[in-house]
């Protein structure tokens, strides 16, 4: 039984959240969030202490994404919240159901005072506040309801003086809504069905919204029935895994074949997908004569990034089911010839390349392709941002749609390690793999201690080019001085060993024998691979992205 004893507002919030289903809380504890965090732990929640609030926020975000449960973050007033803001912004932009327990100084004379509600709103989170002992249960329930029901990141401010107020006996919570499915209009269903009937080469692109709606099976069925090829945004990679007509990721990560087949489509339907510059390569993936349809639960999302011929407000799964009943089965784009081409050239690991490895540095394509062979299939891949990021996203296979955690909505570097830690806590039966650049690794390296302390058997791969590679390849060709974005080589493996990790420097594929040995062992602490990668050219996706700059 969960402990239920009268106490203060702070202990009441902790007990109430545990009863509401909060199983894990991430954070950094200070005086202002000490009691609420201890109350959660005393009630049976697991507390994961991070070394920086930014890391804690991203861990909670990743935990929620991978587990499907409520993410909970606990931070100190003022600087505790501001330290966490980048992670909170990423979660808010990704519509992660995350509850931030933020202690709050309400006196403007306090060194800790900032307008925390304004900060929350500024990064897209929903600010709420505990207003007193009499309303603490309703205030907490409302915050949890918004986070879960609306899939929002909520900052629940807890004023220091209010936290100390005594509360009568704990009475518990009510039942929380899981959210409302938005049905499409009849006219829109008919119009989309008509478009699919008329199309000869339809393509579906499913995004985060389709993933959140659990629309994989309805979309697979509709794609097969309507003769459509299927693709995803990077955030929904794996949704169509196993379908022989799956093009994998659409956009900058696309294979040349996928880009061609999408461009040749006469109908493109985005399902819970923003159809932004990344997913459509600045619009160049859409042919001039193609008709574009967008399905989303939010009307304001329709046509936000590009003009669409038909906008449908509706849940992706429910819309797909209703449309399928009105479409007659046909071959469409799903011809034997297209199937053979996808099998042959539809995945990056199958495509030949000029290996640029040397005795001192390994080509990131060779590195990642070898890792794909060595790592167990049951894996969760967490990817940081940078020039390197296309390699782990596209050369490392994932077991399903939950296998890639892509914290890129805010496009910040330095989130990948914490993402992997949160994923490892959520799915301990899968090997978590963190793919980082050296810049992001050094930004977040303190969280290696968290991984060691929590005895997380994760693999950290650092694509180390001793630079901010994206800036090098963006500005270098134009003759700019690169002194501000290049650095002396850092022995990140040595630093990792100092935190208690196993670690090895990788210069050639032969050095990966250390990974094989680690995988065969107890995996009771992380393994870091400091891979010295070639840096003489940008990744293919970065070259594509620069065309729109």
């Amino acid at each position: 039984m969960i402990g239920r004893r009268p106490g203060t507002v702070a202990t009441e919030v902790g007990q109430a959240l545990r009863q509401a289903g909060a199983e894990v809380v991430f954070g950094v504890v200070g005086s202002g969030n000490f009691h609420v965090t201890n109350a959660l732990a005393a009630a049976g929640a697991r507390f994961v202490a991070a070394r920086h609030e930014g890391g804690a926020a991203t861990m909670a975000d990743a935990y929620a994404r991978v587990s499907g449960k409520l993410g909970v973050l606990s931070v100190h007033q003022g600087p505790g919240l501001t330290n966490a803001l980048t992670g909170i912004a990423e979660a808010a932009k990704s519509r992660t159901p995350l509850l931030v327990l933020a202690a709050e100084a309400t006196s403007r004379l306090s060194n800790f005072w900032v307008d925390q509600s304004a900060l929350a709103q500024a990064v897209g989170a929903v600010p709420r506040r505990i207003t007193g002992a009499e309303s603490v249960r309703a205030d907490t329930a409302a915050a949890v309801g918004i986070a879960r029901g609306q899939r929002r990141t909520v900052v629940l401010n807890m004023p220091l003086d209010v936290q100390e107020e005594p509360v009568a006996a704990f009475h518990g919570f009510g039942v929380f809504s899981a959210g409302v499915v938005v049905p499409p209009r009849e006219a829109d269903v008919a119009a989309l069905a008509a478009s699919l009937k008329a199309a000869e080469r339809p393509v579906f692109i499913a995004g985060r919204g389709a993933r959140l709606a659990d629309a994989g099976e309805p979309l697979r069925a509709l794609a097969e029935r309507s003769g459509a090829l299927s693709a995803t945004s990077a955030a929904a990679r794996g949704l169509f895994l196993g379908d022989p007509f799956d093009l994998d990721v659409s956009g900058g990560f696309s294979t040349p074949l996928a880009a061609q087949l999408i461009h040749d489509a006469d109908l493109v339907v985005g399902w819970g997908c923003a159809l932004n510059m990344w997913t459509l390569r600045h619009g160049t993936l859409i042919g001039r004569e193609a008709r574009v349809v967008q399905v989303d639960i939010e009307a304001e999302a329709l046509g936000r990034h590009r003009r669409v011929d038909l906008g449908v407000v509706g849940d992706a799964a429910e819309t797909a089911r209703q449309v399928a009943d009105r479409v007659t089965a046909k071959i469409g784009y799903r011809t034997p010839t297209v199937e053979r081409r996808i099998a042959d050239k539809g995945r990056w690991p199958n495509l030949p390349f000029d290996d640029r490895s040397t005795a001192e540095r390994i080509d990131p394509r060779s590195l990642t392709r070898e890792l794909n062979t060595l790592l167990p299939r049951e894996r969760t891949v967490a990817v940081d941002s940078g020039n390197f990021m296309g390699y782990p996203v596209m050369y490392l296979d994932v077991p399903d749609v939950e296998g890639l955690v892509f914290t890129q909505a805010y496009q910040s570097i330095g989130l990948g390690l914490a993402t992997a830690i949160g994923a490892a806590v959520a799915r301990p039966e899968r090997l978590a793999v963190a793919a980082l650049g050296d810049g992001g690794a050094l930004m977040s390296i303190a969280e290696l201690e968290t991984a060691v302390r929590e005895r997380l058997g994760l693999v950290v791969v650092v694509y180390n080019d001793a630079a901010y590679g994206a800036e090098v390849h963006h500005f270098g060709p134009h003759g700019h001085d690169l002194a501000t974005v290049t650095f002396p080589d850092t022995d990140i493996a040595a630093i990792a060993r100092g935190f208690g990790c196993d670690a090895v420097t990788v210069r050639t594929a032969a050095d990966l024998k250390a990974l094989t040995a680690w995988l065969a062992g107890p995996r009771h602490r992380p393994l870091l691979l400091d891979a010295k990668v070639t840096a003489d050219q940008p990744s293919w996706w970065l070259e594509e992205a620069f065309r729109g700059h």
Side-chain angles (χ1 to χ4, degrees):
M1 290 289 293
I2 297 170
R4 298 175 181 160
R5 62 184 186 279
T8 64
V9 164
T11 58
E12 183 82 351
V13 171
Q15 291 177 347
L17 283 176
R18 180 67 185 102
Q19 190 190 42
E23 297 180 10
V24 182
V25 55
F26 300 84
V28 177
V29 171
S31 59
N33 63 326
F34 181 85
H35 294 300
V36 68
T37 306
N38 280 353
L40 266 162
R46 175 182 177 183
F47 176 61
V48 177
R51 285 303 188 178
H52 190 278
E53 289 90 349
T58 301
M59 292 174 200
D61 178 10
Y63 171 84
R65 297 189 199 205
V66 174
S67 70
K69 300 174 183 177
L70 178 70
V72 181
L73 168 66
S74 178
V75 296
H76 184 64
Q77 63 270 23
L81 179 62
T82 56
N83 278 348
L85 278 180
T86 295
I88 292 171
E90 169 65 34
K93 287 176 177 290
S94 299
R95 297 299 291 263
T96 299
L98 174 64
L99 181 64
V100 182
L101 300 174
E104 183 182 36
T106 54
S107 171
R108 290 177 178 261
L109 299 178
S110 170
N111 290 341
F112 293 124
W113 187 86
V114 288
D115 190 339
Q116 296 192 176
S117 292
L119 289 174
Q121 287 182 310
V123 298
V126 178
R128 303 288 295 192
R129 179 171 284 109
I130 301 292
T131 56
E134 295 179 355
S135 65
V136 59
R137 302 179 191 109
D139 293 339
T140 309
V144 174
I146 293 169
R148 282 181 171 164
Q150 300 179 28
R151 298 198 64 89
R152 298 295 300 275
T153 293
V154 179
V155 174
L156 182 59
N157 291 305
M158 301 181 298
L160 297 177
D161 53 346
V162 173
Q163 286 192 53
E164 297 175 356
E165 293 180 9
V167 176
F170 181 78
H171 298 299
F173 269 14
V175 178
F176 295 96
S177 169
V180 178
V181 172
V182 179
R185 295 189 313 148
E186 164 66 23
D188 290 338
V189 172
L192 177 49
S195 294
L196 287 170
K197 290 177 183 178
E200 297 179 359
R201 299 178 305 283
V203 169
F204 289 175
I205 303 177
R208 191 189 309 275
R211 176 179 177 174
L212 296 177
D214 197 20
E217 288 308 313
L219 286 176
R220 283 173 182 261
L222 179 59
E224 182 176 3
R225 188 170 183 80
S226 61
L229 306 183
S230 55
T232 69
S233 68
R237 188 182 183 216
L239 191 69
F240 301 114
L241 193 68
D243 187 328
F245 293 96
D246 176 19
L247 300 177
D248 209 346
V249 175
S250 171
F253 296 153
S254 294
T255 61
L257 175 64
Q260 178 189 337
L261 291 172
I262 295 170
H263 183 269
D264 291 346
D266 58 358
L267 173 67
V268 175
V269 185
W271 300 88
C273 180
L275 299 180
N276 59 25
M277 65 179 183
W278 303 111
T279 306
L280 298 182
R281 291 191 178 181
H282 304 277
T284 61
L285 282 191
I286 303 294
R288 288 186 176 182
E289 304 303 318
R291 182 173 171 80
V292 179
V293 177
Q294 187 177 10
V295 180
D296 202 284
I297 60 171
E298 296 181 349
E300 58 269 26
L302 302 177
R304 178 183 293 167
H305 293 280
R306 64 151 293 133
R307 180 191 61 79
V308 297
D309 298 291
L310 172 64
V312 179
V313 176
D315 175 83
E318 181 61 23
T319 302
R321 292 188 189 97
Q322 291 193 29
V323 172
D325 292 337
R326 304 177 183 224
V327 176
T328 303
K330 63 179 181 180
I331 293 175
Y333 220 167
R334 295 187 163 221
T335 66
T337 299
V338 169
E339 182 177 5
R340 287 192 298 270
R341 294 177 68 195
I342 293 173
D344 185 37
K345 297 183 178 180
R347 294 176 61 251
W348 280 105
N350 293 345
L351 301 182
F353 61 87
D354 178 20
D355 192 333
R356 305 173 75 91
S357 299
T358 68
E360 294 298 315
R361 292 193 171 271
I362 187 169
D363 189 309
R365 296 165 295 185
S366 301
L367 168 70
T368 317
R369 194 160 66 174
E370 187 68 16
L371 288 172
N372 194 46
T373 301
L374 296 176
L375 292 168
R377 183 181 183 278
E378 287 298 314
R379 65 185 73 153
T380 306
V381 179
V383 183
D384 210 326
S385 190
N387 174 59
F388 75 94
M389 63 189 287
Y391 303 118
V393 170
M394 298 308 300
Y395 281 81
L396 291 181
D397 294 330
V398 293
D400 52 37
V401 73
E402 306 301 329
L404 175 65
V405 195
F406 196 65
T407 44
Q408 298 294 333
Y410 196 35
Q411 217 175 329
S412 170
I413 71 171
L415 307 187
L417 178 56
T419 298
I421 292 173
V425 172
R427 295 289 300 270
E429 78 282 6
R430 283 185 168 178
L431 177 67
V433 181
L436 321 174
D438 54 298
L442 291 169
M443 278 188 183
S444 60
I445 203 159
E447 301 305 346
L448 286 178
E449 191 279 334
T450 304
V452 170
R453 176 170 21 91
E454 292 291 327
R455 297 177 65 84
L456 301 177
L458 58 87
V459 173
V460 181
V461 184
V462 181
Y463 292 75
N464 189 351
D465 62 359
Y468 290 133
E471 283 66 35
V472 167
H473 296 297
H474 191 177
F475 296 106
H478 302 290
H480 295 289
D481 184 358
L482 300 177
T484 56
V485 292
T486 54
F487 306 93
D489 186 57
T490 302
D491 189 348
I492 296 177
I495 298 172
R497 284 190 287 270
F499 280 110
C501 299
D502 290 330
V504 65
T505 298
V506 176
R507 296 186 183 278
T508 69
D511 295 325
L512 291 174
K513 61 181 182 293
L515 171 60
T516 302
W518 183 88
L519 289 171
R523 307 188 198 176
H524 61 276
R525 57 183 177 179
L527 170 67
L528 184 139
L529 303 175
D530 182 6
K532 309 299 186 181
V533 297
T534 56
D536 56 339
Q537 63 180 17
S539 61
W540 85 93
W541 76 269
L542 195 65
E543 288 181 307
E544 181 63 43
F546 286 164
R547 295 175 188 173
H549 284 199

